[in-house]
Amino acid sequence: MTEAERAQPGEILMASPRGFCAGVDRAIEIVERALRKFGAPIYVRHEIVHNTYVVNDLKQKGAIFIEDLAEVPPGATLVFSAHGVPKAVEHEAAVRGFQVFDATCPLVSKVHVEVAKLAREGYEFLMIGHKGHPEVEGTMGQLSDGIFLVEDAADVAHAPVTRPDKLAVVTQTTLSVDDAADILAAVKARFPLVREPKKQDICYATQNRQDAVKVLAPKVDVVIVVGSPTSSNSNRLRELAARLGTPAYMVDSATDLQPEWLDGRPRVGLTAGASAPDVLVQAVIARLKALGSVSVRSLPGVEETIEFPLPKGLGDKSMAEAGF
């Protein structure tokens, strides 16, 4: 790499793409449109996306975030978060007669559809993901049994699979591509007949942001990731930069940025997880400039043009208009 390709001292180098993805945009828009159409309060099961600023902003507008549907009064309007929900939650909401708008990311929904289809064909499943993450709970909750979580390669050896000849793998969409590949390799070694996903379950936005960090990290002295601690894809960006040998830190807001992180590291790389709004990125840039950064430059990267349709009753975009 030539010096011209690196960030210059005092320069902030921005990864591209970064920040909001189509699924997050859609989820937030669903809550905001529901608030405008039906008025406050609108109940949301779990954080709509994993970002503190976004959740607090929607709370101020009249959204109430809950974990248990018992907290939702009769006749209320309910939104499912972008991470998806188990079948039992869908059933309970239907039985109780809520008006429901499903903000599950369409890419997560694709995984749910695939699980249901293969289960009807007699398959068992291994799910690669993090225990307790709402997306994992939602996907595993599509079935009452026959789906087992593996968080790392060591878990594969203990998976209680009974039908190794009819076994499929699904993946949490926001995982590190490299981590998912390592675990999948262990699965294939133990279960040679395993059915892999037709298409990589890692979502396009997660993939693109990780690829952008792979370009960014070698060019800078430190990487700052804007994202909340609960955001899986933001955590993976920080881990990836560190694995590439560049010190990396994650901030929920500009006030989290510590001046000592920049000591002796004049070239700063900046990115943001898929649930982090640009207003937070701009605030971090302002903070970096106050600490001595003098210029900002964006790297070239993949241009994301995907849009997802809104649920019936909130928007009139068709699938064709949405380009998906």
Side-chain angles (χ1 to χ4, degrees):
M1 185 192 328
T2 67
E3 187 60 29
E5 291 176 307
R6 287 174 60 83
Q8 300 307 304
E11 185 176 39
I12 304 166
L13 211 54
M14 307 271 282
S16 296
R18 63 186 175 272
F20 276 3
C21 63
V24 166
D25 263 332
R26 173 182 179 269
I28 296 168
E29 181 72 7
I30 286 170
V31 178
E32 291 184 332
R33 287 203 182 201
L35 283 164
R36 290 197 297 268
K37 185 167 184 177
F38 304 106
I42 296 295
Y43 290 81
V44 185
R45 193 209 182 249
H46 194 69
E47 293 185 349
I48 186 68
V49 298
H50 283 158
N51 184 268
T52 305
Y53 177 92
V54 169
V55 169
N56 288 340
D57 182 60
L58 291 174
K59 281 181 181 177
Q60 290 177 359
K61 294 175 180 177
I64 297 176
F65 294 88
I66 54 94
E67 296 296 331
D68 189 335
L69 297 196
E71 302 173 60
V72 184
T77 298
L78 175 67
V79 176
F80 294 148
S81 83
H83 312 97
V85 299
K87 282 291 183 188
V89 173
E90 290 183 24
H91 178 71
E92 182 183 351
V95 167
R96 295 189 58 195
F98 301 135
Q99 176 172 233
V100 175
F101 294 102
D102 190 355
T104 302
C105 174
L107 298 178
V108 175
S109 295
K110 274 188 169 183
V111 176
H112 291 186
V113 169
E114 182 73 359
V115 166
K117 174 180 174 291
L118 292 179
R120 288 193 297 270
E121 296 174 17
Y123 276 83
E124 287 185 322
F125 297 88
L126 294 180
M127 176 156 200
I128 299 173
H130 295 300
K131 184 177 182 180
H133 190 280
E135 182 189 327
V136 170
E137 292 177 348
T139 298
M140 295 187 69
Q142 298 304 299
L143 303 176
S144 58
D145 55 31
I147 184 165
F148 314 107
L149 179 65
V150 288
E151 295 189 85
D152 54 36
D155 285 346
V156 175
H158 308 292
V161 172
T162 61
R163 296 192 293 264
D165 57 329
K166 297 207 80 173
L167 179 67
V169 172
V170 292
T171 307
Q172 181 181 334
T173 63
T174 52
L175 281 185
S176 156
V177 176
D178 296 333
D179 287 349
D182 290 345
I183 300 169
L184 184 58
V187 172
K188 289 164 71 175
R190 182 181 173 196
F191 304 108
L193 300 179
V194 69
R195 175 173 177 146
E196 298 179 55
K198 287 182 182 176
K199 190 176 182 182
Q200 178 65 280
D201 283 348
I202 304 297
C203 85
Y204 78 94
T206 298
Q207 179 74 67
N208 289 346
R209 280 151 191 71
Q210 290 184 8
D211 288 346
V213 165
K214 289 178 182 178
V215 174
L216 173 71
K219 301 177 186 294
V220 297
D221 302 313
V222 60
V223 170
I224 305 298
V225 178
V226 181
S228 290
T230 50
S231 168
S232 175
N233 76 86
S234 299
N235 277 289
R236 302 296 84 76
L237 294 177
R238 186 200 62 74
E239 290 170 2
L240 176 58
R243 192 158 57 239
L244 292 169
T246 305
Y249 304 92
M250 195 166 74
V251 296
D252 206 4
S253 67
T255 56
D256 293 340
L257 192 65
Q258 302 301 310
E260 56 266 29
W261 296 347
L262 311 180
D263 288 349
R265 297 168 183 155
R267 301 175 175 92
V268 180
L270 183 60
T271 189
S275 51
D278 190 59
V279 64
L280 298 182
V281 176
Q282 296 307 317
V284 169
I285 290 172
R287 171 95 166 128
L288 287 168
K289 286 185 174 180
L291 292 171
S293 295
V294 295
S295 63
V296 183
R297 174 164 57 100
S298 281
L299 290 169
V302 174
E303 183 178 352
E304 295 175 346
T305 58
I306 289 176
E307 294 180 20
F308 294 131
L310 294 169
K312 187 176 180 180
L314 289 181
D316 53 10
K317 280 186 177 182
S318 69
M319 294 296 277
E321 287 172 331
F324 187 77

